[in-house]
Amino acid sequence: MTFNLRSGHKVTTQRVGNDVEFVTSNPEGGVISTVRHSFAESVPLIKSLACRTR
């Protein structure tokens, strides 16, 4: 899933084994952050991103 933030940044999520990887890119497309969270930790983060990017 890709979430487009108002600032122009993008957060892309993908499942990696039992974890979810979050990759944040700046408006120019450069990766500025990559983190992994457990699936359980990721659910509230993904819900929050979904609510903020409607």
Side-chain angles (χ1 to χ4, degrees):
M1 296 180 131
T2 298
F3 301 95
N4 297 307
L5 307 178
R6 290 181 190 171
S7 63
H9 292 75
K10 291 184 181 183
V11 179
T12 302
T13 63
Q14 69 176 13
R15 192 85 184 255
V16 180
N18 292 327
D19 297 332
V20 177
E21 182 177 75
F22 292 78
V23 178
T24 304
S25 302
N26 62 24
E28 293 78 32
V31 173
I32 58 174
S33 174
T34 301
V35 296
R36 286 190 183 177
H37 293 286
S38 71
F39 183 76
E41 293 172 326
S42 298
V43 171
L45 297 172
I46 292 170
K47 285 182 179 180
S48 176
L49 283 168
C51 288
R52 292 178 185 191
T53 58
R54 286 187 194 185

